[in-house]
Amino acid sequence: MLDDGSLLKSKLNQLIAKYKNVSYLETDPICFPKRYKDPLDIEIVSLISCLFAYGNVKNIQNFLDPIFQSMGDSPSQFLVNHHFSTSNFLKTGKGYRFQSNEDVVVFFKTLQRILSENKNSSPIFESYFLDQNGQFDPNGSIQNFQKQLESEILLTAKTKVLTYGLQFLIVKWKSKSPKKRISLFLRWMVRRKYPDFGLYRKIKPNQIPYPMDVHIQKLIKVLGIQKQNNIQLQDAFALTEFFRKVNSVDPVLYDFYLTRVGIINRCKGRYEEMICKGCELNEVCLVVPRGIEPRLQG
């Protein structure tokens, strides 16, 4: 690594300058909550968008866009006032990948009940992440969120065990996986600057784990930050710690912009001249052949 990280920070700032444009929001599920102004609508739509944010962007958008279109101007009000038994909402029979249509309906019915029971509370889900002292604890807060959401879904489904699809949707809380989609939801809710919303005030941006999607996992390898293949939640927190050395207050700032390198630039994680030569990160990337560009060492 560079001894002071100055070159890396410079290149990251170039990346931000390139992709800090509203036109790039359409390449990310964050485009859905960006449609709304009411904080409760933003929170609900963000949770839905993040939990279903697996697969390619096009598939995610094709599934979610018709749902949000049918919810109208206020998804939260739609859910509170909606009668699932008398409507065609979500009755396509298709579901989404691992979630059957029945799984999806159970999930939305759960959101409906939570909203109905918390009409005067906003935000709703921040408390799910906090411990008994009202603090965010890296050792258990994400698991707390998963446990509570699991309990709510089980109550709706009137069963003791989640289906595979619903378990996949919220991830097993005992799993050591990086919990990417929940971490993404946290980033949107906690960061107060573009492109995020900053609705949660009891959790700080430098406390949360990095959303370790496939693009971030690929980039931290080629940048020489982390090398392991089996990424766990502890590695997501470790990546936040790494970027705290670059930006102590807002280390997850770089997540949105780094993922554009994978989604838009089509980074392969190996040297491809046509891709790499125009990449803002080529001077700090280990896959660029030595002698061509200066880079991080190690």
Side-chain angles (χ1 to χ4, degrees):
M1 293 296 167
L2 288 175
D3 55 358
D4 62 359
S6 59
L7 180 57
L8 175 61
K9 186 169 185 177
S10 172
K11 295 305 172 183
L12 289 170
N13 287 337
Q14 288 182 26
L15 206 61
I16 292 171
K18 179 177 181 179
Y19 290 118
K20 193 174 183 179
N21 186 302
V22 293
S23 64
Y24 292 113
L25 295 179
E26 293 301 318
T27 65
D28 193 273
I30 203 170
C31 67
F32 295 117
K34 284 291 181 181
R35 298 174 180 177
Y36 307 97
K37 300 295 184 183
D38 183 87
L40 187 55
D41 288 327
I42 291 171
E43 183 182 18
I44 293 300
V45 171
S46 292
L47 179 63
I48 296 168
S49 300
C50 286
L51 291 184
F52 284 101
Y54 68 97
N56 64 54
V57 174
K58 184 177 180 180
N59 288 341
I60 296 167
Q61 291 178 335
N62 287 342
F63 172 69
L64 289 178
D65 190 57
I67 292 175
F68 293 133
Q69 291 287 352
S70 68
M71 287 181 165
D73 294 335
S74 177
S76 62
Q77 286 300 311
F78 173 88
L79 286 171
V80 168
N81 299 321
H82 185 71
H83 299 288
F84 285 87
S85 60
T86 60
S87 169
N88 290 323
F89 177 64
L90 294 179
K91 291 186 177 179
T92 63
K94 296 179 180 179
Y96 179 71
R97 300 195 69 185
F98 301 125
Q99 287 79 46
S100 67
N101 194 61
E102 183 179 352
D103 290 335
V104 176
V105 170
V106 167
F107 175 68
F108 276 88
K109 282 185 176 181
T110 301
L111 292 181
Q112 181 184 55
R113 182 171 48 76
I114 292 172
L115 280 165
S116 298
E117 293 173 355
N118 296 272
K119 290 181 180 179
N120 299 318
S121 299
S122 182
I124 290 178
F125 293 102
E126 183 176 24
S127 63
Y128 283 39
F129 289 98
L130 305 178
D131 61 20
Q132 293 180 345
N133 298 317
Q135 302 294 317
F136 182 85
D137 178 8
N139 295 316
S141 286
I142 289 181
Q143 292 86 342
N144 287 343
F145 170 83
Q146 292 174 283
K147 288 178 188 177
Q148 290 194 57
L149 192 54
E150 180 181 282
S151 295
E152 296 286 2
I153 294 173
L154 288 172
L155 182 61
T156 302
K158 298 179 181 179
T159 183
K160 294 183 178 180
V161 181
L162 293 181
T163 64
Y164 176 79
L166 287 170
Q167 187 70 84
F168 185 93
L169 189 65
I170 64 173
V171 188
K172 292 181 179 179
W173 62 267
K174 291 183 179 181
S175 167
K176 295 182 179 180
S177 74
K179 315 290 175 74
K180 181 270 292 187
R181 288 170 286 140
I182 298 172
S183 300
L184 182 63
F185 175 65
L186 270 175
R187 195 205 87 198
W188 292 4
M189 293 297 98
V190 172
R191 287 195 70 251
R192 301 181 188 180
K193 298 181 180 179
Y194 182 91
D196 303 310
F197 304 101
L199 300 183
Y200 294 174
R201 299 304 177 95
K202 296 180 180 179
I203 308 171
K204 297 178 181 179
N206 61 9
Q207 292 180 298
I208 65 176
Y210 245 79
M212 298 286 268
D213 73 353
V214 293
H215 304 294
I216 291 294
Q217 291 184 40
K218 186 186 302 177
L219 283 166
I220 60 177
K221 278 188 176 183
V222 301
L223 293 175
I225 297 171
Q226 290 183 5
K227 299 179 180 180
Q228 63 270 38
N229 293 317
N230 185 23
I231 299 294
Q232 299 183 353
L233 184 57
Q234 63 185 18
D235 301 308
F237 278 108
L239 186 58
T240 298
E241 190 61 31
F242 171 85
F243 279 109
R244 284 184 71 167
K245 299 173 184 176
V246 181
N247 188 326
S248 61
V249 176
D250 191 16
V252 289
L253 157 69
Y254 307 106
D255 177 55
F256 176 80
Y257 306 101
L258 283 169
T259 52
R260 298 316 97 186
V261 176
I263 294 171
I264 298 174
N265 282 12
R266 305 291 184 183
C267 174
K268 305 296 184 184
R270 61 179 183 273
Y271 184 67
E272 298 276 353
E273 184 177 1
M274 294 303 295
I275 296 174
C276 297
K277 69 179 183 180
C279 178
E280 283 72 17
L281 299 176
N282 58 14
E283 292 185 42
V284 291
C285 181
L286 297 177
V287 302
V288 176
R290 295 186 180 277
I292 296 179
E293 300 284 1
R295 63 181 44 72
L296 295 173
Q297 300 298 313

